[in-house]
Every structure is written in structure tokens, then in C-alpha cells.
Amino acid sequence: MDWAGTAVDYGCFAPLHAFIRMFEEYHINVTLEETRRPMGLPKIDHIREILKTQRVSEQFSAHYRRAWTETDVREMNAKFETYLFATLKDFASPIPRVVETLDRLRAEGIKIGSTTGYTAAMMEIVRKGAAEQGYNVDNLVTPNDVPAGRPAPYMIYKNMLDLKIDSPRKVVKVGDTLADIREGVHAGVWSIGIVEGSNEMGLTEAEFAACDPTTLARLKSRVKADMYAAGADYVLNNIGELPQCIDDINRRLNMQPDVRGRYLLLTPGPLTTSHAVKESMLQDWCTWDEDYNQGVVSVIREKLVRLATGKTDMYTSILLQGSGTYCVEATLGCAVPRDGKLLIAANGAYGKRMVEIADRLGINRTVLTFQETEQVAPEKLEEALAADPSITHVSFVHCETTTGILNPLDTLCPIVKRFEKTLIVDAMSSFGGIPIDTAGLGIDFLVSSANKCIQGVPGFGFVIARTETLKTCQGQARSLSLDLFDQWETMEKGGGKWRFTSPTHVVRAFAQALCELEAEGGIAARHERYKQNQRILSEGMRSLGFRPLLPDPAQSPIITSFLYPDKNFSFKTFYNRLKALGFVIYPGKISQADTFRIGNIGDVRPEDFRDLLDAVRAISE
Ligand SMILES: *Cc1c(COP(=O)(O)O)cnc(C)c1O
């Protein structure tokens, strides 16, 4: 607990009057604001800070025809102390709610330490005056006891020593000035600001009570913003809110430590995200406020189009609640008209899933099937299109996450375009991690989701669509909630508004993830990192006796499948041992061979894969 302005002396007026009277004696006029700004510092430092302001130092020079010196500071401090001592005992009354609140906390076993900007001699008066009115602390440290006062952390450390507290995480520092907040931040304790009765508010109790609500609200929000900017963990209206705040801190202390997770996810999504992405979710957003719709959603929509096409004029983007499959289903269900026909080229589970979606939705479809270890063959696609002119739409997966096989967009897309079909690409696991020239390739709908190569958290997917094609889809959807056109129209007209409740925290995390993609150097740089991850993994695993499922030319940098090394291999044991060493991998998903998969995407780097290889080596011995 701080003293003046926090525990006693509502508004922190005692030093204020003494400073002003002292400066008057030096023919210097100081404003209330100038006087309050350094409040909380040791008083001699406070005087020096005021003198340093240009307006005050100019007044001094004008009157004395020289600059102020340290000798002046000491002399001023002596005069200040005289004034302060004369009135100090009148400013020792506890602030409302302080006594009851701290009595209650003490009854729960919490110890009350204290720090101050007052000297030991001043505190003798204040402590005695406060005690007479019912306010007591368990420990008092003044700047005289330590090498430096605020904003240095030493007074807090001395309290921890005196009261035998073993961790700064178990300490909350409560204060009313920015110097208090910084003292707490420097000490690494929970730093809490109190608004009402504070030096930062600068009102007497009577002024506070008489203040009109608008002015008061404006004043309070300024003080809160200043305190948060100084590093406060919490800013409370008054001390009565402290017990509830401590409950909240205790809940946070009891939560799992969230560093990078207890293990790395080497999986194709959800995947390992950065700390900043996780942290960005610690705010609640209103779904119809412009801070969210303009500031977050619209920015994302525009960035996605730019990432996919390099420009923004012919394409648009739609964000949709749910996982990636919801977006695939929304796209197929909305893009293909009742009299249309869809050709699906499938070489894995996600291609097959498109077939299942088409069947559920009653979409007329035909399928071109390939082995799971075989790329979609351009000549077969060409044959199929030539053989059946009734086909209107073509869809396939870019990177089949089933195995990690990459289908050759550069040859497949031009064929579809030559036949003038609408082209839908599931680039779920590749968009953001592999450069794709969406416009150049003539892709009409490119589908991806938040929790793959953009490195966000799961909760929504998105579609990059050619605007002209999308505009022809009105009224075609076979579902209400998965109506891609309606979702788009609402977002366009509402400036980023989603049709139904949007996953606000996830969307905010995605915005952070996009910034991190930019900071990394864009998709090309991320592609290089994934390729490096994949190469280190693949070479290292080979040297440990594991064979990749796919031939190198078909292998994507996204995820790698490995064959079981022998008949006795137990994936479950392998998995559990790796997990215990901090790595979570993925089971296989194909029918013809026993495999397991290791993802190369997410906030993971070559050194993580070297560590993984060490772990594999250790558990294989
Ligand atoms: C992840 C993924 C999906 C969508 O899966 P959800 O579990 O619905 O997010 C679709 N296609 C591919 C290629 C994927 O990798």
C-alpha cells in the first residue's frame, strides 16, 4: 500500500500545498498540474523534477539571473519540509473504505506492507495520525531505508524481506500515482492503480461528490488510460474493489502456465501459435462496434485479398464461422447452381470429403480418383473435361493434408480455365505457407482457414472469391448459415459485420497472426521457413531409420508422412514418449500403409525440429 492519496489524504493534498507555498517563496509560480505530475517520488526528487520543467526553470533564471543548482534543491527541500511538517498531521485521515477493506484482507491472511514518497520523519507523523483513526499496516518502508525511492523497486523488495514473502507474483502494489504504478512494474509484482481519491484525479472528496457525471467520466477514463499506459495490471475505481481483484489474480495464478504451451503442436492445425497471438485474445469486442468491424474484420478481409492476389480490385473475401470444412461446404453449396455439375479431382481424405459434401447437398457431381500417394494428373483432368461438356465447376485440394502431397496448381488451373469452368481450390493447409497466384491462375474460389499457415487459432475459415463469379451465386445456397453470398453481402454492406455471432477473440488473434506474417517477410519468407523445417525433419528422420511416404517431388513443405519403421512399431508408445518430451505429432490417415505425420507449419523453427530429432533419437535407443 502506498500512503498519501491511496490510504490517507484523499486527493493527495498535503504535499501539494507545501510545494506551492515553498515555490512561492522563491517567486516561482507552479501550476497544480506541474506539481502533481511527479507525485509519488521521494520529495527531493519531486522538487528536482518540477525544476527541470522549462517553464519553472525559466522563472527561476529570470528571478535569480542564474540556473538552479543542487544546493538550491536541498535548500528548497528543507523549506518544503518545514511547510509540510506544519500541516502533515491534518492530512493523515484514512480514505473511505480503506480501513474496512484492509481489515478484511488481513483477516484472510494477507499482510499489509507499505511504501511511500515521504521520508521516515514525515511518516512518523502520518503513521501515528492514521493509527489514531484506525488505519494500521504490518510493515513500513521509506526511501530512507533503501538505496533509492520510486520508481525503483527496492521499497517493495524490503517489504518482501521484512514480511517473508517468497515471490513477487504473490504481491500486489496498490497506489494512486504513475510513480506507484512504475514501482510495481519494476518490482515485477501485480501493479494496481486506484482512481478515486488519487493524485491523478486531483479532486477533494467534496469536489468529487459535486462533479457532474460527464466531466467525472472523462476524468476517470483519462486517469485509467494513463495508469494502464504506465504498466498497471489493473486499475480500480476505489479500494473497495481490491478483494475482488485479488480473487481474480489468484485465479490467474492457479491457471496452467501459458508459455508456448507445455508442448509444441507439430500438427496441421490447430498448430503452435505465437505468444502474442494468444495474448491478443485477452480483450472482449462488440460485434457491431466499428472498432471491431472496421478496425479488425475489414482490415483482415482486405489483407487476405492482397495476400492472395497482390491487389484488391477483382477479388473479395468472406470470413465464415466454423472450421475449414464449413467453408468448403459453403463454397460448394453456393457456387454450384442446381443445373450445374461439379468435377472433383480427389487424391486424399479432403478430396473425398468434397464428394461427401456434394452428395449430402444433392449437387450433381463426378469424381476423378487418384491414389493417395499420387498427384492429380493434368492429362486425366483434361480428358475428363473433354469427355463431359456438362461439367460447369471443378474442385480439388492444393496440399492434401492426408499425406502432405502437393497437387500442381500451375498445370491444373490453366486446364480448367481453358475449358472455361469455375474453379474451386481447397488451399486450406497451404494458403499463407506456399505462394499462390490466385488471380493469375484464375481461381474463382480459394478456401482456407484461420488455424493453418496464417498461424491463427481455430474458429473460422475464409474464402477468397472472384467478385464477378460470387455475384452470380445469389440465392443458390442450399443452407442458411452456410450461405456464402449472404455472408459476403452482409459484410460488404455492414462494413465488416458478420451475419451471426462472430468468433471475436479468434478474429482478433487472426489479425495479430497476419501482422506476424507481414513481419516475417510475407508468404515467400514463411514458405522458406517451412521448407527448411521440412528438409531438416525429413533428412533427420531418414538418418534415424524412418522413410517418408512420398517421393520428394510430390512432398509439400506443410506436413510429412512417415512409414512405420517395422512391424513392432507402436505409434501410441512413440506418440506418448514424444509428448512427454514436449512434442505432439499426428497419426496417419491413409488406408494403404501404416504411417504417422509430423507437421512443419506453425510458429515452429528449424531449431525446434533439431530438438524434435534429438527427442526421437532419445526414445528410439
Ligand atoms: C484442415 C483441412 C481442411 C478442413 O478441416 P477442418 O477440420 O474442417 O478445419 C480441409 N482441407 C484440407 C486440405 C485441410 O488440411
mmCIF file of all heavy atoms in Angstrom, residues 323-325 328 350 353 397 399 401 426 428-429 449 452, ligand 1:
data_model
loop_
_atom_site.group_PDB
_atom_site.id
_atom_site.type_symbol
_atom_site.label_atom_id
_atom_site.label_comp_id
_atom_site.label_asym_id
_atom_site.label_seq_id
_atom_site.Cartn_x
_atom_site.Cartn_y
_atom_site.Cartn_z
ATOM 1 N N SER A 323 -15.145 -24.395 -38.758
ATOM 2 C CA SER A 323 -13.817 -24.853 -39.170
ATOM 3 C C SER A 323 -13.724 -24.781 -40.695
ATOM 4 O O SER A 323 -14.658 -24.344 -41.370
ATOM 5 C CB SER A 323 -13.572 -26.274 -38.678
ATOM 6 O OG SER A 323 -14.207 -27.200 -39.536
ATOM 7 N N GLY A 324 -12.602 -25.221 -41.227
ATOM 8 C CA GLY A 324 -12.375 -25.140 -42.668
ATOM 9 C C GLY A 324 -13.431 -25.860 -43.498
ATOM 10 O O GLY A 324 -13.854 -25.369 -44.554
ATOM 11 N N THR A 325 -13.878 -27.015 -43.002
ATOM 12 C CA THR A 325 -14.875 -27.793 -43.742
ATOM 13 C C THR A 325 -16.155 -26.987 -43.987
ATOM 14 O O THR A 325 -16.786 -27.107 -45.032
ATOM 15 C CB THR A 325 -15.195 -29.087 -42.967
ATOM 16 O OG1 THR A 325 -13.965 -29.784 -42.746
ATOM 17 C CG2 THR A 325 -16.155 -29.984 -43.730
ATOM 18 N N VAL A 328 -15.623 -25.036 -47.050
ATOM 19 C CA VAL A 328 -15.677 -25.861 -48.256
ATOM 20 C C VAL A 328 -17.141 -26.140 -48.579
ATOM 21 O O VAL A 328 -17.592 -25.976 -49.725
ATOM 22 C CB VAL A 328 -14.907 -27.193 -48.047
ATOM 23 C CG1 VAL A 328 -15.075 -28.098 -49.267
ATOM 24 C CG2 VAL A 328 -13.429 -26.927 -47.782
ATOM 25 N N TYR A 350 -9.442 -35.213 -47.986
ATOM 26 C CA TYR A 350 -10.157 -33.936 -48.118
ATOM 27 C C TYR A 350 -10.851 -33.819 -49.466
ATOM 28 O O TYR A 350 -11.894 -33.192 -49.580
ATOM 29 C CB TYR A 350 -9.217 -32.765 -47.831
ATOM 30 C CG TYR A 350 -8.783 -32.787 -46.385
ATOM 31 C CD1 TYR A 350 -7.536 -33.276 -46.006
ATOM 32 C CD2 TYR A 350 -9.674 -32.394 -45.385
ATOM 33 C CE1 TYR A 350 -7.168 -33.343 -44.671
ATOM 34 C CE2 TYR A 350 -9.309 -32.465 -44.047
ATOM 35 C CZ TYR A 350 -8.059 -32.938 -43.696
ATOM 36 O OH TYR A 350 -7.712 -33.016 -42.380
ATOM 37 N N ARG A 353 -13.876 -35.810 -48.954
ATOM 38 C CA ARG A 353 -14.856 -35.065 -48.158
ATOM 39 C C ARG A 353 -15.687 -34.146 -49.055
ATOM 40 O O ARG A 353 -16.874 -33.943 -48.815
ATOM 41 C CB ARG A 353 -14.156 -34.266 -47.057
ATOM 42 C CG ARG A 353 -15.130 -33.696 -46.036
ATOM 43 C CD ARG A 353 -14.431 -32.976 -44.892
ATOM 44 N NE ARG A 353 -13.694 -33.896 -44.041
ATOM 45 C CZ ARG A 353 -12.878 -33.509 -43.052
ATOM 46 N NH1 ARG A 353 -12.711 -32.220 -42.802
ATOM 47 N NH2 ARG A 353 -12.232 -34.396 -42.315
ATOM 48 N N VAL A 397 -7.998 -30.248 -54.122
ATOM 49 C CA VAL A 397 -7.252 -29.774 -52.962
ATOM 50 C C VAL A 397 -5.835 -29.407 -53.404
ATOM 51 O O VAL A 397 -5.268 -30.118 -54.247
ATOM 52 C CB VAL A 397 -7.196 -30.895 -51.889
ATOM 53 C CG1 VAL A 397 -6.325 -30.474 -50.711
ATOM 54 C CG2 VAL A 397 -8.600 -31.260 -51.422
ATOM 55 N N CYS A 399 -2.854 -28.743 -51.213
ATOM 56 C CA CYS A 399 -1.998 -29.659 -50.461
ATOM 57 C C CYS A 399 -2.913 -30.650 -49.744
ATOM 58 O O CYS A 399 -3.672 -30.251 -48.863
ATOM 59 C CB CYS A 399 -1.138 -28.904 -49.463
ATOM 60 S SG CYS A 399 -0.267 -30.008 -48.341
ATOM 61 N N THR A 401 -3.621 -32.763 -47.076
ATOM 62 C CA THR A 401 -3.030 -32.895 -45.750
ATOM 63 C C THR A 401 -3.038 -34.357 -45.276
ATOM 64 O O THR A 401 -2.332 -34.713 -44.327
ATOM 65 C CB THR A 401 -3.796 -31.983 -44.781
ATOM 66 O OG1 THR A 401 -4.116 -30.774 -45.474
ATOM 67 C CG2 THR A 401 -2.971 -31.629 -43.576
ATOM 68 N N ASP A 426 -9.370 -25.984 -52.663
ATOM 69 C CA ASP A 426 -9.192 -26.110 -51.219
ATOM 70 C C ASP A 426 -7.706 -25.913 -50.929
ATOM 71 O O ASP A 426 -6.904 -26.819 -51.113
ATOM 72 C CB ASP A 426 -9.679 -27.497 -50.763
ATOM 73 C CG ASP A 426 -9.314 -27.812 -49.313
ATOM 74 O OD1 ASP A 426 -8.561 -27.026 -48.702
ATOM 75 O OD2 ASP A 426 -9.770 -28.849 -48.797
ATOM 76 N N MET A 428 -6.675 -25.035 -48.005
ATOM 77 C CA MET A 428 -6.774 -24.947 -46.549
ATOM 78 C C MET A 428 -5.405 -24.966 -45.886
ATOM 79 O O MET A 428 -5.079 -24.101 -45.093
ATOM 80 C CB MET A 428 -7.587 -26.139 -46.049
ATOM 81 C CG MET A 428 -8.226 -25.927 -44.715
ATOM 82 S SD MET A 428 -9.577 -24.762 -44.806
ATOM 83 C CE MET A 428 -10.739 -25.639 -45.826
ATOM 84 N N SER A 429 -4.634 -25.987 -46.204
ATOM 85 C CA SER A 429 -3.385 -26.185 -45.462
ATOM 86 C C SER A 429 -2.195 -25.542 -46.152
ATOM 87 O O SER A 429 -1.080 -25.678 -45.683
ATOM 88 C CB SER A 429 -3.132 -27.677 -45.259
ATOM 89 O OG SER A 429 -2.990 -28.318 -46.507
ATOM 90 N N SER A 449 -8.456 -21.589 -43.865
ATOM 91 C CA SER A 449 -8.988 -21.330 -42.522
ATOM 92 C C SER A 449 -7.950 -20.689 -41.616
ATOM 93 O O SER A 449 -6.772 -20.612 -41.949
ATOM 94 C CB SER A 449 -9.530 -22.612 -41.896
ATOM 95 O OG SER A 449 -8.462 -23.423 -41.479
ATOM 96 N N LYS A 452 -4.349 -22.587 -39.922
ATOM 97 C CA LYS A 452 -3.304 -23.302 -40.669
ATOM 98 C C LYS A 452 -2.129 -22.346 -40.888
ATOM 99 O O LYS A 452 -1.628 -21.821 -39.911
ATOM 100 C CB LYS A 452 -3.872 -23.878 -41.959
ATOM 101 C CG LYS A 452 -5.128 -24.739 -41.720
ATOM 102 C CD LYS A 452 -4.902 -26.229 -41.878
ATOM 103 C CE LYS A 452 -6.141 -26.997 -41.448
ATOM 104 N NZ LYS A 452 -6.316 -28.263 -42.128
HETATM 105 C C1 LIG B 1 -7.603 -28.812 -42.392
HETATM 106 C C2 LIG B 1 -8.120 -29.078 -43.730
HETATM 107 C C3 LIG B 1 -9.486 -28.930 -44.048
HETATM 108 C C4 LIG B 1 -10.544 -28.519 -43.094
HETATM 109 O O1 LIG B 1 -10.546 -29.209 -41.934
HETATM 110 P P1 LIG B 1 -11.342 -28.684 -40.648
HETATM 111 O O2 LIG B 1 -11.057 -29.749 -39.679
HETATM 112 O O3 LIG B 1 -12.748 -28.583 -41.009
HETATM 113 O O4 LIG B 1 -10.769 -27.347 -40.301
HETATM 114 C C5 LIG B 1 -9.879 -29.109 -45.354
HETATM 115 N N1 LIG B 1 -8.975 -29.399 -46.296
HETATM 116 C C6 LIG B 1 -7.670 -29.541 -46.035
HETATM 117 C C7 LIG B 1 -6.726 -29.847 -47.145
HETATM 118 C C8 LIG B 1 -7.196 -29.386 -44.745
HETATM 119 O O5 LIG B 1 -5.894 -29.515 -44.479
#
